[in-house]
């Protein structure tokens, strides 16, 4: 049986690769999902005959556009903008915008594909999408970022809307960028609507949205630890990245009594063996969100170790929270983590572990929460922001945090339900893929061939 399933996975993937050449990250994301789903679909032939998987790997719509803008010296630049509208089976397209030099169609398709399953897992009515540009905000002035955002939204505004497609932030798109994008949408459309999430609290945002992805990844780690009667308290935690997700993951770990010892950016990582406490974290937030500096400055300021051009996975820890970018933990690094006693990996970033690294986690039977489950807290609170915008009523911090916590617990339960094998081991990869799939697949069957 396993052999037949392998052949089916290989045949399916051969078609995906042929139809989507040069999109390696998209192939990687699809392969992982298809490997989880093939046995489930064999047992539930309505999905096979409905060609659900074949339909899900084809975006409903791909939009690609020119984004011209003028820098502070009067020079004209041209970037490329995208929006991938992957699935609207269970709600409006929903997913972030990424501004980073590495952005291309394949990366955004992988992110949009993952988003479909993630959004379904949240229990909220959101379809899946993703977008962005190869524009890099690093080193640009505020005015340059504003002009870029205005040009980007001038085109994007034709395709989105509060009931159609609701983008949010991702790498390189934080509160500043969402502000400029929202301002331009409002001006073009002459309407104040919840067309973007991640807005500031004064103009339609939700409390806890900035914190949500990082907090959620820690809540998920906590749920995984509970299955082994353990907790966060006293555990050493290695975090990569130093942006939105990394900062709030660190804040929650510190609050729960864990010890955070690292941050990184694309230049290198810092290792603070004494632990990054709340005061040091505040300093990092100021460095990254206001002064927009490099993480190396932390080592200069606090006398910690700085390692140029490397990632922090060689540091001894019990918990690892990758919160930077895709494929940032390879097989060797995963082995190093496990060898050093790490037994919890909760992915704040999207697909930060390579397939070989995931194999290492599963073979070692550690607690591994894949991104589409572990980092779903961000989009979940985006969903709650949409609800508040529709009601025109803001919820308190506690109310939103309680709902976030409840959603993360619920996602964990779904993963256990669909991921627990006969030996009692919880394969969260299978659990998240099957748990996320069912609602979308059933909705597609109910809505006919569209
Ligand atoms: P930010 O832009 O705030 O921070 C990204 C961090 O990752 C920065 O420290 C950045 O360093 C580092 N980084 C980015 N690209 C690379 C790279 N190629 N190599 C090494 N380091 C890199 O983004 P977020 O914190 O919002 O996003 C981080 C991850 O979390 C992404 O995978 C994103 O998709 C995922 N995510 C984010 C959500 C959100 O709500 N924001 C929701 C769910 C998932 P540098 O500044 O040097 O580039």
């Amino acid at each position: 049986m396993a052999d037949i399933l392998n052949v089916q996975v290989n045949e399916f993937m051969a078609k995906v690769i042929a139809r989507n050449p040069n999109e390696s990250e998209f192939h990687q994301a699809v392969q992982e999902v298809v490997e989880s789903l093939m046995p489930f679909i064999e047992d539930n032939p309505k999905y096979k005959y409905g060609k659900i998987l074949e339909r899900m790997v084809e975006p409903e719509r791909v939009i690609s556009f020119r984004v011209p803008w003028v820098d502070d010296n009067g020079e004209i630049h041209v970037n490329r903008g995208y929006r991938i509208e992957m699935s609207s089976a269970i709600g409006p397209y929903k997913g972030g915008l990424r501004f980073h030099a590495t952005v291309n169609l394949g990366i955004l398709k992988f992110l949009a594909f993952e988003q479909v399953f993630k959004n379904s897992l949240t229990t909220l009515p959101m379809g899946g999408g993703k977008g962005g540009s190869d524009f890099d905000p690093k080193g640009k002035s505020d005015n340059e970022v504003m002009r870029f955002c205005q040009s980007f939204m001038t085109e994007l505004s034709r395709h989105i809307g509060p009931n159609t497609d609701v983008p949010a932030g991702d790498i390189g798109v934080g509160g500043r960028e969402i502000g400029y994008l929202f301002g331009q949408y409002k001006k073009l459309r002459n309407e104040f609507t919840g067309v973007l999430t991640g807005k500031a609290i004064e103009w339609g945002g939700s409390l806890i949205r900035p914190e949500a992805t990082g907090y959620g990844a820690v809540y998920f780690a906590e749920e995984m630890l509970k299955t082994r009667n353990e907790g966060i308290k006293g555990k050493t935690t290695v975090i990569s990245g130093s942006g939105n997700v990394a900062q709030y993951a660190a804040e929650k770990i510190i609050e729960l009594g864990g010890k955070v010892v690292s941050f990184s950016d694309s230049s290198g990582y810092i290792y603070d063996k004494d632990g990054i406490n709340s005061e040091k974290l505040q300093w990092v937030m100021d460095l990254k969100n206001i002064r927009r500096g490099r993480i190396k400055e932390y080592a200069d300021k606090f006398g910690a170790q700085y390692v140029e051009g490397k990632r922090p996975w060689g540091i001894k820890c019990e918990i690892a929270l990758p919160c930077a970018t895709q494929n940032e933990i390879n097989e060797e690094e995963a082995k190093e983590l496990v060898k050093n006693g790490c037994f919890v990996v909760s992915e704040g970033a999207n697909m930060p572990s390579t397939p070989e690294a995931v194999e290492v986690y599963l073979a070692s039977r550690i607690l591994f929460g894949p991104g589409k489950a572990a980092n779903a807290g961000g989009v979940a609170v985006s969903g709650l922001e949409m609800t508040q915008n529709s009601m025109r009523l803001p919820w308190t911090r506690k109310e939103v945090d309680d709902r976030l916590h409840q959603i993360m617990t619920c996602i964990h339960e779904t993963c256990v339900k669909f991921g627990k094998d006969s030996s009692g081991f919880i394969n969260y990869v299978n659990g998240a893929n099957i748990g996320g799939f069912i609602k979308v697949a059933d909705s597609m069957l109910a809505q006919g061939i569209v």
Side-chain angles (χ1 to χ4, degrees), residues 129-143:
K130 199 83 188 189
S133 172
D134 57 358
F135 172 77
D136 186 357
K138 274 201 286 291
K140 307 288 190 303
S141 71
D142 282 355
N143 276 332

Side-chain angles (χ1 to χ4, degrees), residues 98 100 102 111 115 118 130 138 169-173 209-210 212-213 240-247 264-267 288 293-294 311 322-326 328 348-351 375-376 378-379:
R98 175 175 293 190
H100 196 271
T102 57
L111 290 162
Q115 197 81 45
K118 183 188 307 189
K130 199 83 188 189
K138 274 201 286 291
D170 190 75
I171 292 177
V173 179
R209 177 61 189 90
T213 310
S240 66
S242 48
N244 170 269
V245 180
Q247 292 169 16
S264 71
D265 59 23
S266 46
S267 309
K288 284 291 171 182
R294 307 305 296 160
R311 304 187 285 218
C323 297
T325 193
Q326 64 274 359
E328 56 165 318
N350 284 309
M351 209 168 73
N375 71 38
V379 74

